[in-house]
Amino acid sequence: MDVKRTRDISEVIETLDAISWQGPASTNMRSSAVEALENGKVLYFPRLAFELSKMETRFLTPAIADARAKNVSFDPRTGKMKGAIASDADLAAVTEMMRRYYEYARKLVETLLPRYAPALEAGRTSFRPVEIKDRTISARKDDTRLHIDAFPATPVGDRRILRVFTNVNPESKGRHWRLGAPFEEMARDFVAKLPKQAPGSAWFLKTTGMTKGRRTAYDHMMLNLHDTMKADDGYQARVVQNEFSFPPGSTWLVFTDMTSHAAMGGQHLFEQTFYLPVHAMENDNKAPLRVLERLAARPLV
Ligand code: SIN
Ligand code: FE
């Protein structure tokens, strides 16, 4: 018999009824937002939609994405887009659509979480027009398994990963997620089993250009947590978890380096990544970096 342990959904998801990306956000809303996020909850806006023009809805097709990449990716720092296949005019229009999502997502974070604004760094914008269930990938890359986010080529060091997601599916298809155990509980299950970082390996990865910057001890642990939890079928099946389907026209924000998540199904999503130095948090003791430093009893960056 398959009896999954779940938590009360109110412990996992904090619902806020903002309807505008530009705010204003009430003092109440701002304080629940920062508290919920830093505790690992998903901030969920059921009525915050990313409106596409009639012309842009043509881009809601897997054909727009390079078959190997599956995502279209935009870098707001350079204005460059990757992974899309279309005419020059359409490529320019997709770029503008993605830039607009970046600007909206940034505005939302800045009005809702003003203490993060001065230190907030933009990462990539991604548009995901391919149905998750149709993807075939290795266990390590398989985001239908519960995981925390950690990037092999882009070490984060002392920065958090904060992501904004919006479901833009035109046919009422939800983005179906699983949400797993609190970070410290998850880390305690795995930390003793993680491989040690080989001496000199961070230097090697950096000098050969395999990583952008030095892979810190923290990055090493996070990557290994990511890989180990994904590979552990028993853990995936038995860990406390909740299912939730984010409907089209909704937006959600989460520190994906902390909150175990898995994307089980859905098509047509926008996602914006931000990096936030832990010192900008209201309570950096809650950061995965600090949790792991306590468990390891040493500094990790
Ligand atoms: C992920 O971050 O693991 C995937 C999220 C999604 O595409 O819904
Ligand atoms: Fe992820």
Side-chain angles (χ1 to χ4, degrees), residues 2-13 146 177-182 185 236-244:
D2 187 22
V3 187
K4 288 223 168 77
R5 287 188 302 138
T6 59
R7 289 182 287 159
D8 192 293
I9 198 71
S10 66
E11 289 174 39
V12 180
I13 290 178
L146 284 165
W177 274 29
R178 290 191 286 146
L179 290 156
E185 219 173 284
Q236 292 286 327
R238 82 176 166 261
V239 70
V240 55
Q241 57 191 276
N242 289 74
E243 298 195 28
F244 194 81

Side-chain angles (χ1 to χ4, degrees), residues 71 126 128 132 135 142-145 147 149 163 165 175-177 230 252 256 261-265 269 271:
N71 294 339
S126 129
R128 306 179 183 175
I132 290 172
R135 303 171 137 197
D142 183 358
D143 288 338
T144 69
R145 291 161 181 264
H147 65 281
D149 286 348
R163 290 183 139 170
F165 299 88
R175 193 86 177 174
H176 185 179
W177 274 29
K230 271 189 177 173
W252 60 106
T256 53
H261 60 285
M264 310 310 292
L269 177 91
E271 178 265 325

